[in-house]
Short mmCIF file of all heavy atoms in Angstrom, two decimals:
data_model
loop_
_atom_site.label_atom_id
_atom_site.label_comp_id
_atom_site.label_asym_id
_atom_site.label_seq_id
_atom_site.Cartn_x
_atom_site.Cartn_y
_atom_site.Cartn_z
N THR A 55 -14.45 15.36 4.54
CA THR A 55 -15.79 15.83 4.34
C THR A 55 -16.61 14.69 3.81
O THR A 55 -16.08 13.61 3.40
CB THR A 55 -15.89 16.96 3.27
OG1 THR A 55 -17.22 17.43 3.09
CG2 THR A 55 -15.34 16.57 1.93
N ASN A 58 -18.79 15.40 -1.67
CA ASN A 58 -17.84 15.15 -2.80
C ASN A 58 -17.70 16.39 -3.65
O ASN A 58 -16.65 16.75 -4.11
CB ASN A 58 -18.34 13.96 -3.67
CG ASN A 58 -18.09 12.61 -2.99
OD1 ASN A 58 -17.30 12.51 -2.07
ND2 ASN A 58 -18.88 11.65 -3.45
N GLY A 99 -11.09 -0.56 -14.71
CA GLY A 99 -12.04 -0.62 -15.84
C GLY A 99 -12.56 0.66 -16.39
O GLY A 99 -13.19 0.69 -17.43
N ARG A 226 15.24 -21.67 -12.78
CA ARG A 226 14.53 -22.87 -12.42
C ARG A 226 15.32 -24.11 -12.79
O ARG A 226 15.42 -25.07 -12.00
CB ARG A 226 13.15 -22.90 -13.12
CG ARG A 226 12.45 -24.19 -12.91
CD ARG A 226 10.98 -24.15 -13.51
NE ARG A 226 11.09 -23.85 -14.92
CZ ARG A 226 11.40 -24.73 -15.86
NH1 ARG A 226 11.72 -25.95 -15.61
NH2 ARG A 226 11.41 -24.37 -17.17
N ALA A 258 -9.09 -14.23 -17.27
CA ALA A 258 -10.49 -14.07 -16.70
C ALA A 258 -10.49 -12.71 -16.00
O ALA A 258 -11.48 -11.96 -16.10
CB ALA A 258 -10.77 -15.16 -15.74
N ARG A 262 -12.79 -9.50 -16.94
CA ARG A 262 -13.60 -8.78 -15.91
C ARG A 262 -13.32 -7.34 -15.95
O ARG A 262 -14.24 -6.52 -15.73
CB ARG A 262 -13.31 -9.43 -14.57
CG ARG A 262 -14.06 -8.84 -13.40
CD ARG A 262 -15.56 -8.95 -13.57
NE ARG A 262 -16.28 -8.37 -12.45
CZ ARG A 262 -17.50 -7.85 -12.55
NH1 ARG A 262 -18.18 -7.79 -13.71
NH2 ARG A 262 -18.06 -7.36 -11.43
N PRO A 271 -23.47 -6.16 -15.44
CA PRO A 271 -23.48 -6.85 -14.11
C PRO A 271 -23.01 -8.28 -14.11
O PRO A 271 -23.08 -8.91 -15.17
CB PRO A 271 -25.00 -6.72 -13.76
CG PRO A 271 -25.74 -6.76 -15.05
CD PRO A 271 -24.81 -5.92 -16.00
#
Side-chain angles (χ1 to χ4, degrees):
T55 181
N58 291 340
R226 175 177 54 79
R262 178 60 178 152

